[in-house]
Structures are given as C-alpha cells and as structure tokens.
Amino acid sequence: PALAADTTPPTITPPVSKFAVGSTGTSSSPIRITWTSADDWTGVSQHRLQQSVDGAAWTNVGLSSATATSATRTVALGHSYRYRTRAADVAGNWSAWMYGPTFTFRIYQQTSGNIAYTGTWYSQSIAGASGGSSKYSNTPPGRAKFTISARSIAWVGMTCSYCGMAPVYVDGVYKTSVNTQWGTVNGQHSGPRVMYARS
C-alpha cells in the first residue's frame, strides 16, 4: 500500500565540493563531494552524481554504492567543474537535479602577491614542489597571510623530519594546528600534501 500511494520524490541537497586533506599533485588535487537526501515514505533507493568539465556535457560519476552520499574526484589545474545530484525512492520517484556551484581549480605559489610574510622566511629548492621550492620559517613569529575571496581554499605544503606545528587562522579566527613533521631522516621530505582545507 505504501508503494502504491507514494508519488512524492525524495529531497536532496546540492553537492558541496571541498579539497581533501592528503597527498596531491603539482597540477591536480583531490576533492570530496558530499550531499544529503531524505524520503519520508518508502525511503531513498539510489543517487546519481554527474559532473560537467569546462561547460561540456554532463557525465556520470561512479559511486561506491547506490545510496552513497559522497565521492572523491581529482580536479586539474585551470579547468572549471560543476556537479549535480538527484535521488530516487523505492517507489521509483526521481527528484529534480540539484546543482552545485561552478568552480575553477587555481594554484597560488608562495611568491604570489596575495601572500604577505612577516618574520624571517627562507626558500629551499625541492624536487616535486609545484613551484620548484618551498618557503619556511623557523624563527618565531613567522607568519604568512593569504588574502583571497573564494568558496573553498586549501594550504598545500611539504612535511619533513625537522618540521613542526603550524597554527591556522581563517578570517582571523583560530581553526587548528597542523603537524608538518614527517619521517626520521634529517632533511627527508614528503611529497606535496593538502595540509588544511576549508569550505
């Protein structure tokens, strides 16, 4: 009887994209796409996630399960992306597509004019760094202030055996402290990593 009476599609939220903390490349980065859905009658049976790159046709994105509410994708430097989601219930009613915003993945190197440094900073050439080098400070107070207007940002850095803790502030409000130490060999560096992400 419930199936016969159910003509109302599920509700679903627009997908939200956020940089994923972890390993990244010099011209690409992982992002995490999330959404939620609900159905008061027969329940949600499946989701659809699609992407459009540079305004091209929509293509399906594979999900880990029919009812998964997240997916991880890799975005490439300089390209624009948009995602959309929809949901179906057990009775077969499909919701309308819900659209996330269009965004473009851009990299700002440590030499960017958007970054203001205070204190003593050094530059070290490192193979694998997107700009060919990494900037660091080991003399407090060493601060780097990045000014930009964006929906999602990420700090990409290197970790090393002699690196330490770095407090992170967003809009002047303390958020967390990131441990940048890795490895046991003096001078050993990891590859570039998303150290902190914020939407």
Side-chain angles (χ1 to χ4, degrees):
L3 288 175
D6 185 6
T7 59
T8 303
T11 58
I12 190 167
T13 61
V16 175
S17 302
K18 179 181 179 180
F19 288 105
V21 174
S23 298
T24 185
T26 57
S27 60
S28 63
S29 184
I31 61 168
R32 189 75 169 166
I33 308 154
T34 59
W35 63 93
T36 60
S37 64
D39 186 82
D40 294 334
W41 282 73
T42 55
V44 175
S45 65
Q46 57 182 311
H47 293 138
R48 289 284 186 273
L49 175 66
Q50 291 188 337
Q51 74 170 5
S52 173
V53 182
D54 296 330
W58 293 96
T59 58
N60 290 323
V61 174
L63 301 177
S64 59
S65 68
T67 56
T69 56
S70 65
T72 300
R73 303 289 294 169
T74 298
V75 295
L77 178 64
H79 293 277
S80 63
Y81 295 83
R82 194 177 193 189
Y83 292 90
R84 67 180 185 180
T85 52
R86 68 187 304 207
D89 60 19
V90 175
N93 301 303
W94 279 96
S95 70
W97 287 105
M98 296 296 287
Y99 293 78
T102 300
F103 66 91
T104 301
F105 173 47
R106 294 188 176 94
I107 291 178
Y108 292 80
Q109 302 293 353
Q110 64 267 27
T111 54
S112 168
N114 294 65
I115 307 175
Y117 296 95
T118 56
T120 303
W121 287 78
Y122 306 91
S123 183
Q124 180 180 4
S125 297
I126 297 178
S130 63
S133 65
S134 178
K135 201 158 188 172
Y136 68 95
S137 175
N138 57 11
T139 306
R143 296 188 178 94
K145 183 179 181 181
F146 180 50
T147 303
I148 193 173
S149 177
R151 282 190 295 265
S152 181
I153 60 171
W155 160 35
V156 176
M158 310 290 285
T159 56
C160 67
S161 59
Y162 50 80
C163 295
M165 301 297 292
V168 177
Y169 293 78
V170 178
D171 295 331
V173 179
Y174 173 78
K175 296 299 180 181
T176 188
S177 288
V178 176
N179 186 359
T180 65
Q181 188 176 40
W182 175 86
T184 58
V185 179
N186 189 33
Q188 183 179 18
H189 291 81
S190 72
R193 289 177 55 84
V194 176
M195 311 296 290
Y196 178 81
R198 174 79 176 178
S199 288

